[in-house]
Amino acid sequence: MRAPDHLATGGPVACRDEMRPLAHFIMGVRFLLRVVAAGFLTGGGVMSFAAVERVAIDHAYVAALAGKLAAAPYRADDRTAPKFFRDLPYDKYRRITFDPKMTLWGDAGRFRLQFFHPGYLFPQMVRVNEFTDTHAQLIPFARNYFDYHELDVPMLSHWGLDFAGFRVLHPLNEPDKWDEAISFLGASYYRALGRHEIYGASGRALALNAGGPATEEFPAFREFWIRKPEANDASLTVHALLDSPAVAGAYTFIITPGEDTVIETHATLFFRNRIDLPGFAPLSTMFWFGEGSANRFGDFRPEVHDSDGLLVATDATTRLWRPLLNTPGVWRTDFEAPAFGGFGLLQRDRDFRNYQDFEGRFERRPGIWMEPIGTWPPGFVRLVEMPTRDEYHDNVTAFWSPRDKINPGQPYELAWKQHWSGAPTFGGPPGWVSATRQTERDGAPDQTKYVIDFDRASLASIAADAKVTADVSVSGGAELRQVQMFRNEADGARRLVIRVRAKPGPPVDVRARLVLDGKPLTETWTMRWQP
């Protein structure tokens, strides 16, 4: 395989005439060792001539770098793409494609590596390293990694470039087909896929003041270390160094693609100053409208969303389901989690007929379920919903935040696991909500009606004549006007109808679940209504 263009003629530096033969010999040996080590690390794809360092890369190594960063005043990383690439509009930026012939690790088992070019919305450049048990090296940017097609790039704009991020390929859906399994691109964002899924919701490393009173800060990854996989590896390890004015941190991601792609994450953070609202394991998604939305913005499709609800495990047995909303303003909803068991933004509706979108294929978007590793301190899950008039912007964020303030200067460590999955629920009672619909101004300007359908299959074992009851509550001065429960004779599902009345004022929280023999039969449906 050829080396990158800027290194294709690489070789021992020509010795000056007066140098002794021994010096010639030493330089030649050093060069050969460098070539051998570089080839050992990269394998397949392109041989890199970047310097190889004998070092053991692990989470502690990156955490030590983060600690040193945090101990010094913050210095912004000004390594951005040249102006030509920063100013590219979307239609021109997308013409820059990675050349598949330059894919790394073509002979290294079940993972392959490709890169993103900086520009457009992703001008910030990052360093990407590869490591084994004993060595590490920088993977340098090379122009011939990319096909610029008919894009006329000024010569000087090629100088000083580095990658904007990377993607990992894996035979996710078919044994001999290499599909994208995860990508890291932009600030601390990443997206992953389970089997037969397409990209939708996003994860990121850390949220700072998201949905809070202070200005939101977006920490960014500055450098990555990716372990070169061996032939039989089922997982890929990625270490990342994060930095921002408020915090520096080390992240380790252990990525296992499959039916559910699982990402185990370990984080060590060093805060430079106090943050009012740190958000851990944050998720972002898009919700434009769904089956319960009054406004479809004149669109022909029945529903348009990457996720349709938030699931929260407040403890080992309780699950709260909150359908997402395209809110009239910024809404912030907190869910107390005294014995936190996880949370996730899920896409439960898997029926194409409910979307009717040949391109979007929203029924294939992954849900993301996060569960803590170990016992986490007291905290809450915050849901932030913002209005949107289109499907092109993420307008929903969810994250976990601790109740106690984090002390600057001391390492703060947490670990969690994420499932990128099509599963409708994770633990808790068997019954789950499949749809929520609403009638606004139901017979009166101060009254609303909710129609909640519980999934038929999840309650299939419950006899038709079982004495199932509804447990419903409303907050504040709201009045619960009516509660009706039906068994849908068409498909055996259970339907709950709730009418609530309240005078204009603060939002009303409504909660409901089905109960059998005094025990929860379903998760708890919860909704926020603005009278």
Side-chain angles (χ1 to χ4, degrees), residues 317-352:
T317 59
T318 304
R319 297 293 182 272
L320 304 181
W321 174 253
R322 166 60 152 75
L324 297 181
L325 301 170
N326 187 350
T327 53
V330 179
W331 283 17
R332 306 171 184 90
T333 308
D334 291 346
F335 300 91
E336 296 293 335
F340 178 56
F343 77 96
L345 291 171
L346 306 185
Q347 183 78 317
R348 282 182 165 172
D349 194 333
R350 295 281 159 183
D351 191 339
F352 169 81

Side-chain angles (χ1 to χ4, degrees), residues 453-470:
D453 288 331
F454 293 89
D455 177 70
R456 173 183 58 84
S458 67
L459 299 175
S461 63
I462 306 302
D465 59 352
K467 302 298 183 183
V468 177
T469 59

Side-chain angles (χ1 to χ4, degrees), residues 85-91 93 118-123:
F85 293 111
R86 297 198 307 269
D87 292 347
L88 285 178
Y90 171 73
D91 62 330
Y93 174 72
Y120 181 52
L121 296 179
F122 312 104

